Amino acid sequence: RPAYPIPMEEQGTDANAPKINSHVYRNVTECSWHGVLATNAKKCPECEASPPPAAAGSAKKRPKPPKIRTRKQLTQILNVPIGTFHAEYYLPALKKLAYHRPHCTILGKNFCGAERLAAFKRKPAAIRTRRDYAERLAAAFNLEIQCDHFGNGRSLSMEGSAVETFCARAVAALKNDVWQMSDDDLRMVFHSHLSDDSRQDAATTHA
């Protein structure tokens, strides 16, 4: 388990300790009508005290009922003693980073990815596959009135799948123990899978 020693001069939490100003992400609970509430509140006191009146008329003219939601927002912290900043903000962030780094090592192309590529190139009988998503493409209408397309927007998901193998010549040379690695021996086949479903996953692009 990683340890992060804090210098003595940065452990102060009293009024004379150096102060830190920074930004952190915090959960902020808001009422859509009355603004910020206590964190993780389930009810709005102002809505409870004076419930919104039921509006008469058609459903299209009625105001939307208030909603309470909690989201992470970037908030500023001011004049926090440096010792408190270390204990409550800085050290927890370092611990999260320490536990996140193995994922970067496993999934990153410069670490395990590079080792997998090197292993693939050492054995012509191997097959290498890659899959990735592109940014969703949205249709944009130019110089046309809005009523022609209002509520009729379209977006397109695209997934790319690549299969990389060695040519038959390289496999035959390997069997005869005369093969030497060359990029000319590599062959790649690429396929694009498209979907206009609202979800963006393999179940929709392969459907």
Side-chain angles (χ1 to χ4, degrees), residues 34-145:
H34 301 107
V36 179
L37 305 175
T39 304
N40 297 324
K42 301 300 182 183
K43 297 180 180 179
C44 173
E46 295 189 38
C47 291
E48 292 287 320
S50 56
S58 63
K60 293 183 178 180
K61 295 182 179 180
R62 295 174 187 170
K64 293 183 178 180
K67 293 183 179 180
I68 297 176
R69 63 188 181 188
T70 300
R71 293 182 177 178
K72 284 189 177 294
Q73 294 184 8
L74 188 63
T75 57
Q76 187 176 19
I77 54 175
L78 299 173
N79 297 325
V80 178
I82 191 169
T84 304
F85 175 78
H86 274 294
E88 297 183 4
Y89 302 103
Y90 189 64
L91 291 184
L94 285 181
K95 291 180 180 179
K96 288 182 180 179
L97 174 62
Y99 288 113
H100 178 67
R101 288 193 64 184
H103 295 82
C104 298
T105 301
I106 294 172
L107 301 175
K109 64 180 181 180
N110 295 325
F111 298 97
C112 291
E115 295 180 3
R116 289 194 297 268
L117 177 59
F120 165 71
K121 290 185 175 181
R122 289 195 298 267
K123 191 173 183 180
I127 297 176
R128 183 172 180 238
T129 63
R130 283 174 287 176
R131 296 173 61 183
D132 198 5
Y133 271 97
E135 292 291 334
R136 184 183 294 274
L137 303 177
F141 303 101
N142 188 27
L143 301 179
E144 299 183 34
I145 59 176

